[in-house]
Amino acid sequence: MMSLLKRIFLSCILLVFVTSCATIEKDFSKAEPKAIKEWQDMRFGMFIHWGPVSLTGHEIGWSRGRETSIEEYDQLYKKFNPTEFNADEWVKTAKDAGMKYMVLTTKHHDGFCLWPSKYTDYHIGNTPFKCDVVGELAAACKQQGIQFGTYYSVCDWWHPDYPLGSPRGKSKKAEHNMPRYFEYLKNQTKELIDNYGPLGLMWFDGEWEKPWTREYGNELYAFLKRAQPTLLINNRVSKGRHGMAGTTKQAHLNAGDFDTPEQRIGGFNRERSWETCMTICKQWAWKPKDKMKSKQECIRTLLQTVGGDGNLLFNVGPMPDGRIEPRQVERLKEMGQWLKQYGDTVYGTRGGPFKPGEWGASTCKENKIFLFVMNWPKEGPLRIPVPSMKVTNIAIKSGGTVNVNRTEKAIELDVPADDRNSISTVIELTTDGNALQIKPVTISKKDRE
Ligand code: FHN
């Protein structure tokens, strides 16, 4: 009798253990659906890479021990006095661009903190400027209705406890203590939530180096989600990121709520949230006379990204005096003007059903499909495959006329040359159902010829 009871008791314990493991396993790719939906609907955010390194015009983190000696780099903060910094201005620039959220490098690979952290002296409070940049930006975002997020680098080439140093994380530090560094990292990230939260998202980076493990990443993810359940955390918190493609391998094992393709537009994917991060110039941090993307390239990058069902995190690198370069502000304003006219084709939409390609891209919302035609066939109309839902109306949103011819297999669209928009001709299809139900299709080259 006793052995039977004992067996039943033990099997109950085993069942509870297995279930709880399964539950813990399941949490890793879990973000609050409402938080992810609201973030996806925003579609467009500002990335900001800034710190004392802007005094040199070289790349943040990477130039430490390369273009700038480690000794010199680590003393830059003593000269950092960006008196033109105005958080309200930065947030206004983001809003004028049509951006709905912002992510600031609170600590990059160089270890310098843009907030007066109580866990280190290497922070903005010990510069001539003293101002709590993170705090002022968080407050300005709240006041102007922009969601605030923080970038935090897992690798820290300055901190004595993190095992690797500059240049490029190649040098080993004599004395290091990774468990103690992990505590420092947890304390700082919790400090960011406690002092400036609730945050929209926490954007981790620098996860690729050996000292960081999947276990650290998954523990950190769970720790921060307990601190703020609505927080979104990118896939670079753990070890699943596949290089610059930014996609997650083994999502059930690697924590992270969204993928992070870098300096490229991610592939069409409605199954897993993703966000392309890209520079408006070439360098992440400010560089004098850096090459800046044209208006057409900036807007098309946004449309190709949202057409693939992704968000775009578009980066500026403010100058050492605290201003965002006027020419970058102007470029962002041009994006905002386009979004003022066509924002309803971007915000709150989903990518597809016509997948992005050489021709252009498309988005959809309820019974509307928006086509962004960027390259017309050399001759004849653009042929789009007849979607698996009736198209009840076709109209051009970007002015002029659109000539429509329907065949059994295709809807042929043609717009007179004078009515074609050099950035994107916008055409609206109305369907007799929810366009999101239409199976995504590719517009192949032969469709276009
Ligand atoms: O090394 C960083 C780089 O400086 C920059 O912060 C980008 C932004 O996504 N991330 C890393 C490179 O993948």
Side-chain angles (χ1 to χ4, degrees):
M1 187 55 189
M2 268 306 286
S3 62
L4 178 62
L5 270 178
K6 207 169 159 192
R7 272 209 301 274
I8 293 166
F9 175 70
L10 284 176
S11 48
C12 289
I13 296 288
L14 187 65
L15 186 67
V16 165
F17 176 71
V18 167
T19 329
S20 62
C21 284
T23 319
I24 293 170
E25 283 294 305
K26 268 203 323 278
D27 283 350
F28 293 151
S29 56
K30 270 240 173 299
E32 290 213 348
K34 183 171 174 290
I36 274 276
K37 171 86 176 65
E38 284 171 0
W39 171 74
Q40 263 188 329
D41 285 349
M42 292 180 202
R43 283 304 185 209
F44 189 30
M46 178 182 272
F47 210 175
I48 303 173
H49 279 64
W50 197 46
V53 67
S54 56
L55 290 162
T56 69
H58 294 308
E59 188 59 288
I60 191 166
W62 296 96
S63 62
R64 182 176 183 267
R66 217 173 45 178
E67 293 87 345
T68 309
S69 74
I70 290 176
E71 298 64 38
E72 187 190 342
Y73 192 110
D74 292 354
Q75 298 302 310
L76 289 170
Y77 77 104
K78 291 179 179 165
K79 297 185 287 184
F80 191 49
N81 193 14
T83 50
E84 301 295 314
F85 169 70
N86 180 320
D88 294 327
E89 271 305 305
W90 284 18
V91 176
K92 184 178 180 306
T93 297
K95 282 189 83 167
D96 289 349
M99 294 162 157
K100 303 292 183 187
Y101 65 103
M102 180 182 278
V103 178
L104 168 76
T105 52
T106 60
K107 189 199 82 163
H108 203 264
H109 314 332
D110 60 12
F112 184 78
C113 302
L114 283 178
W115 82 100
S117 171
K118 68 180 181 198
Y119 298 101
T120 177
D121 292 334
Y122 194 40
H123 63 67
I124 192 82
N126 293 323
T127 68
F129 189 52
K130 299 198 183 320
C131 153
D132 177 357
V133 169
V134 176
E136 299 227 349
L137 221 38
C141 281
K142 190 169 179 183
Q143 205 264 323
Q144 296 191 46
I146 290 262
Q147 190 188 75
F148 182 65
T150 56
Y151 166 111
Y152 188 95
S153 174
V154 156
C155 71
D156 187 328
W157 299 335
W158 171 87
H159 197 285
D161 285 342
Y162 181 78
L164 301 181
S166 305
R168 309 178 72 84
K170 293 268 185 287
S171 55
K172 256 208 178 305
K173 290 170 192 155
E175 303 289 318
H176 51 80
N177 184 325
M178 190 61 191
R180 194 166 56 197
Y181 174 73
F182 184 54
E183 282 313 303
Y184 169 78
L185 186 156
K186 280 171 74 176
N187 287 333
Q188 283 207 318
T189 47
K190 179 77 166 49
E191 185 180 40
L192 287 168
I193 293 176
D194 292 344
N195 295 4
Y196 312 112
L199 301 174
L201 50 95
M202 253 194 182
W203 213 97
F204 287 95
D205 202 9
E207 85 295 346
W208 57 83
E209 293 189 338
K210 268 205 172 41
W212 192 249
T213 64
R214 172 186 290 163
E215 290 68 27
Y216 278 136
N218 294 345
E219 182 182 334
L220 179 63
Y221 178 90
F223 169 72
L224 294 170
K225 288 287 184 158
R226 277 194 296 275
Q228 185 193 316
T230 58
L231 183 69
L232 294 183
I233 299 176
N234 71 345
N235 66 345
R236 301 187 187 189
V237 69
S238 188
K239 297 290 277 191
R241 172 177 55 136
H242 187 56
M244 293 306 184
T247 48
T248 302
K249 293 175 292 186
Q250 299 182 300
H252 63 295
L253 292 178
N254 288 292
D257 301 326
F258 60 90
D259 288 352
T260 51
E262 178 171 327
Q263 298 288 36
R264 68 191 65 192
I265 295 164
F268 183 88
N269 185 345
R270 281 180 180 169
E271 306 316 313
R272 188 172 157 82
S273 306
W274 61 273
E275 172 197 69
T276 275
C277 56
M278 192 178 284
T279 51
I280 194 169
C281 290
K282 290 282 186 200
Q283 198 169 269
W284 291 100
W286 179 67
K287 176 181 179 181
K289 302 192 180 64
D290 198 358
K291 189 171 176 337
M292 183 169 74
K293 290 176 175 68
S294 69
K295 171 182 171 184
Q296 185 191 69
E297 190 179 355
C298 289
I299 297 172
R300 286 187 170 187
T301 296
L302 175 63
L303 298 178
Q304 290 281 353
T305 302
V306 298
D309 206 39
N311 279 28
L312 176 64
L313 190 61
F314 210 38
N315 182 80
V316 293
M319 299 190 286
D321 67 4
R323 289 177 302 138
I324 297 173
E325 253 193 302
R327 63 174 182 141
Q328 294 184 25
V329 173
E330 273 320 299
R331 181 67 81 245
L332 291 172
K333 260 196 192 125
E334 291 170 336
M335 295 184 82
Q337 277 146 12
W338 193 93
L339 284 164
K340 267 207 180 70
Q341 190 166 2
Y342 303 108
D344 62 322
T345 68
V346 169
Y347 304 123
T349 66
R350 298 300 303 272
F354 302 103
K355 292 181 183 177
E358 186 62 29
W359 70 278
S362 72
T363 57
C364 60
K365 184 160 60 180
E366 293 151 13
N367 67 334
K368 298 292 183 191
I369 297 172
F370 304 107
L371 302 179
F372 307 111
V373 187
M374 299 170 194
N375 294 300
W376 291 87
K378 287 188 188 55
E379 286 183 12
L382 174 72
R383 288 185 183 80
I384 60 170
V386 175
S388 53
M389 194 176 279
K390 195 154 170 287
V391 175
T392 56
N393 189 51
I394 296 174
I396 187 165
K397 276 180 85 83
S398 45
T401 54
V402 56
N403 303 314
V404 180
N405 180 39
R406 294 178 190 242
T407 69
E408 200 190 313
K409 283 207 171 57
I411 298 177
E412 297 180 347
L413 303 168
D414 207 351
V415 169
D418 290 351
D419 292 342
R420 292 177 181 182
N421 184 296
S422 62
I423 290 176
S424 158
T425 303
V426 186
I427 298 172
E428 177 189 282
L429 310 183
T430 304
T431 57
D432 67 350
N434 184 336
L436 192 58
Q437 308 309 318
I438 296 171
K439 187 171 176 301
V441 289
T442 304
I443 296 185
S444 64
K445 205 161 163 24
K446 69 170 176 45
D447 288 330
R448 293 175 39 224
E449 299 309 333

